[in-house]
PDB file of all heavy atoms in Angstrom:
ATOM      1  N   GLN A 126      25.733 -24.227   6.779  1.00 54.00           N
ATOM      2  CA  GLN A 126      25.151 -23.802   5.506  1.00 54.00           C
ATOM      3  C   GLN A 126      25.235 -24.957   4.523  1.00 54.00           C
ATOM      4  O   GLN A 126      26.304 -25.292   4.027  1.00 54.00           O
ATOM      5  CB  GLN A 126      25.896 -22.579   4.949  1.00 54.00           C
ATOM      6  CG  GLN A 126      25.142 -21.878   3.841  1.00 54.00           C
ATOM      7  CD  GLN A 126      25.757 -20.536   3.482  1.00 54.00           C
ATOM      8  OE1 GLN A 126      26.874 -20.239   3.870  1.00 54.00           O
ATOM      9  NE2 GLN A 126      25.035 -19.737   2.731  1.00 54.00           N
ATOM     10  N   TYR A 169      18.590 -19.074   3.694  1.00 75.00           N
ATOM     11  CA  TYR A 169      19.898 -19.457   4.226  1.00 75.00           C
ATOM     12  C   TYR A 169      20.046 -20.974   4.243  1.00 75.00           C
ATOM     13  O   TYR A 169      21.120 -21.512   3.963  1.00 75.00           O
ATOM     14  CB  TYR A 169      20.075 -18.882   5.638  1.00 75.00           C
ATOM     15  CG  TYR A 169      21.459 -19.117   6.189  1.00 75.00           C
ATOM     16  CD1 TYR A 169      22.538 -18.387   5.703  1.00 75.00           C
ATOM     17  CD2 TYR A 169      21.687 -20.077   7.163  1.00 75.00           C
ATOM     18  CE1 TYR A 169      23.815 -18.608   6.182  1.00 75.00           C
ATOM     19  CE2 TYR A 169      22.954 -20.301   7.654  1.00 75.00           C
ATOM     20  CZ  TYR A 169      24.022 -19.568   7.166  1.00 75.00           C
ATOM     21  OH  TYR A 169      25.278 -19.802   7.648  1.00 75.00           O
ATOM     22  N   ILE A 173      21.988 -19.965   0.468  1.00 78.00           N
ATOM     23  CA  ILE A 173      22.201 -18.573   0.049  1.00 78.00           C
ATOM     24  C   ILE A 173      23.026 -17.857   1.107  1.00 78.00           C
ATOM     25  O   ILE A 173      22.735 -17.942   2.296  1.00 78.00           O
ATOM     26  CB  ILE A 173      20.855 -17.840  -0.146  1.00 78.00           C
ATOM     27  CG1 ILE A 173      19.958 -18.621  -1.111  1.00 78.00           C
ATOM     28  CG2 ILE A 173      21.074 -16.419  -0.629  1.00 78.00           C
ATOM     29  CD1 ILE A 173      20.509 -18.751  -2.488  1.00 78.00           C
ATOM     30  N   GLU A 174      24.061 -17.163   0.679  1.00 79.00           N
ATOM     31  CA  GLU A 174      24.935 -16.430   1.604  1.00 79.00           C
ATOM     32  C   GLU A 174      24.121 -15.412   2.399  1.00 79.00           C
ATOM     33  O   GLU A 174      23.144 -14.859   1.884  1.00 79.00           O
ATOM     34  CB  GLU A 174      26.035 -15.750   0.800  1.00 79.00           C
ATOM     35  CG  GLU A 174      27.187 -15.239   1.644  1.00 79.00           C
ATOM     36  CD  GLU A 174      27.058 -13.753   1.919  1.00 79.00           C
ATOM     37  OE1 GLU A 174      26.352 -13.074   1.158  1.00 79.00           O
ATOM     38  OE2 GLU A 174      27.660 -13.287   2.894  1.00 79.00           O
ATOM     39  N   ALA A 175      24.488 -15.185   3.662  1.00 76.00           N
ATOM     40  CA  ALA A 175      23.641 -14.433   4.597  1.00 76.00           C
ATOM     41  C   ALA A 175      23.260 -13.053   4.075  1.00 76.00           C
ATOM     42  O   ALA A 175      22.105 -12.632   4.189  1.00 76.00           O
ATOM     43  CB  ALA A 175      24.340 -14.317   5.958  1.00 76.00           C
ATOM     44  N   LYS A 176      24.206 -12.314   3.506  1.00 82.00           N
ATOM     45  CA  LYS A 176      23.899 -10.975   3.022  1.00 82.00           C
ATOM     46  C   LYS A 176      22.947 -11.029   1.830  1.00 82.00           C
ATOM     47  O   LYS A 176      22.029 -10.207   1.712  1.00 82.00           O
ATOM     48  CB  LYS A 176      25.191 -10.241   2.636  1.00 82.00           C
ATOM     49  CG  LYS A 176      26.089  -9.928   3.814  1.00 82.00           C
ATOM     50  CD  LYS A 176      27.352  -9.199   3.393  1.00 82.00           C
ATOM     51  CE  LYS A 176      27.075  -7.759   3.039  1.00 82.00           C
ATOM     52  NZ  LYS A 176      28.307  -6.960   2.904  1.00 82.00           N
ATOM     53  N   VAL A 177      23.143 -11.993   0.944  1.00 85.00           N
ATOM     54  CA  VAL A 177      22.264 -12.139  -0.214  1.00 85.00           C
ATOM     55  C   VAL A 177      20.870 -12.588   0.229  1.00 85.00           C
ATOM     56  O   VAL A 177      19.860 -12.141  -0.316  1.00 85.00           O
ATOM     57  CB  VAL A 177      22.860 -13.145  -1.218  1.00 85.00           C
ATOM     58  CG1 VAL A 177      21.901 -13.389  -2.384  1.00 85.00           C
ATOM     59  CG2 VAL A 177      24.198 -12.637  -1.738  1.00 85.00           C
ATOM     60  N   ALA A 178      20.812 -13.460   1.238  1.00 83.00           N
ATOM     61  CA  ALA A 178      19.514 -13.914   1.754  1.00 83.00           C
ATOM     62  C   ALA A 178      18.721 -12.741   2.315  1.00 83.00           C
ATOM     63  O   ALA A 178      17.519 -12.603   2.059  1.00 83.00           O
ATOM     64  CB  ALA A 178      19.718 -14.976   2.832  1.00 83.00           C
ATOM     65  N   ALA A 179      19.379 -11.885   3.086  1.00 83.00           N
ATOM     66  CA  ALA A 179      18.698 -10.725   3.659  1.00 83.00           C
ATOM     67  C   ALA A 179      18.245  -9.765   2.565  1.00 83.00           C
ATOM     68  O   ALA A 179      17.130  -9.235   2.606  1.00 83.00           O
ATOM     69  CB  ALA A 179      19.621 -10.009   4.651  1.00 83.00           C
ATOM     70  N   SER A 233      28.899 -11.098   6.897  1.00 63.00           N
ATOM     71  CA  SER A 233      27.814 -12.062   6.996  1.00 63.00           C
ATOM     72  C   SER A 233      27.728 -12.689   8.384  1.00 63.00           C
ATOM     73  O   SER A 233      26.642 -12.971   8.896  1.00 63.00           O
ATOM     74  CB  SER A 233      27.986 -13.158   5.938  1.00 63.00           C
ATOM     75  OG  SER A 233      27.697 -12.659   4.647  1.00 63.00           O
ATOM     76  N   ILE A 236      25.855 -10.390  10.642  1.00 70.00           N
ATOM     77  CA  ILE A 236      24.433 -10.397  10.315  1.00 70.00           C
ATOM     78  C   ILE A 236      23.765 -11.630  10.904  1.00 70.00           C
ATOM     79  O   ILE A 236      22.656 -11.560  11.454  1.00 70.00           O
ATOM     80  CB  ILE A 236      24.230 -10.353   8.792  1.00 70.00           C
ATOM     81  CG1 ILE A 236      24.751  -9.015   8.240  1.00 70.00           C
ATOM     82  CG2 ILE A 236      22.765 -10.530   8.422  1.00 70.00           C
ATOM     83  CD1 ILE A 236      24.802  -8.956   6.740  1.00 70.00           C
ATOM     84  N   LYS A 237      24.434 -12.780  10.813  1.00 68.00           N
ATOM     85  CA  LYS A 237      23.857 -14.015  11.343  1.00 68.00           C
ATOM     86  C   LYS A 237      23.659 -13.929  12.850  1.00 68.00           C
ATOM     87  O   LYS A 237      22.639 -14.383  13.383  1.00 68.00           O
ATOM     88  CB  LYS A 237      24.756 -15.202  10.986  1.00 68.00           C
ATOM     89  CG  LYS A 237      24.671 -15.610   9.525  1.00 68.00           C
ATOM     90  CD  LYS A 237      25.412 -16.894   9.256  1.00 68.00           C
ATOM     91  CE  LYS A 237      26.918 -16.719   9.343  1.00 68.00           C
ATOM     92  NZ  LYS A 237      27.646 -17.934   8.963  1.00 68.00           N
TER      93      LYS A 237
END
Side-chain angles (χ1 to χ4, degrees):
Q126 195 169 14
Y169 186 73
I173 306 297
E174 194 261 339
K176 293 180 74 168
V177 176
S233 288
I236 295 171
K237 286 188 289 185

